[in-house]
Amino acid sequence: PSTNQAITTPTALFTAADVQAGNGHPQATVANCSLTGANIRVSYDGVDPTTSLGEILVPGLYTVTGTDVMLNAKGIRDDSTSATWNCILQGN
């Protein structure tokens, strides 16, 4: 499966449907992602990030590993510019 979403307000970076097995795909264990347009802040523990809380990601390529990390990852734009998060998920 793949994801493509605009990041503006606190948003789950992956949905359960993206990550969990079903609809002909295995459970995702790794996601290869690109961030374009602007910086975002992310949290990996399910807490909503804010414009002052969370790790800053700059536009580029990222790998997210672990089903639990993907299910808890959330992002928010870091300033007034929205970003786009695109991922291809892979499983075992």
Side-chain angles (χ1 to χ4, degrees):
S2 62
T3 65
N4 181 350
Q5 58 186 319
I7 304 297
T8 55
T9 59
T11 303
L13 297 181
F14 307 94
T15 67
D18 294 332
V19 176
Q20 295 171 344
N23 296 325
H25 66 81
Q27 179 170 303
T29 56
V30 65
N32 294 302
C33 305
S34 67
L35 175 64
T36 58
N39 296 351
I40 63 172
R41 287 193 180 252
V42 297
S43 69
Y44 301 100
D45 58 5
V47 173
D48 284 348
T50 67
T51 56
S52 61
L53 173 68
E55 178 184 351
I56 295 175
L57 298 184
V58 299
L61 302 175
Y62 295 91
T63 300
V64 181
T65 305
T67 301
D68 56 335
V69 174
M70 286 186 261
L71 288 173
N72 287 307
K74 293 185 175 185
I76 189 172
R77 66 184 180 195
D78 191 39
D79 57 27
S80 62
T81 304
S82 295
T84 301
W85 179 251
N86 294 295
C87 300
I88 295 175
L89 288 76
Q90 300 171 326
N92 297 342

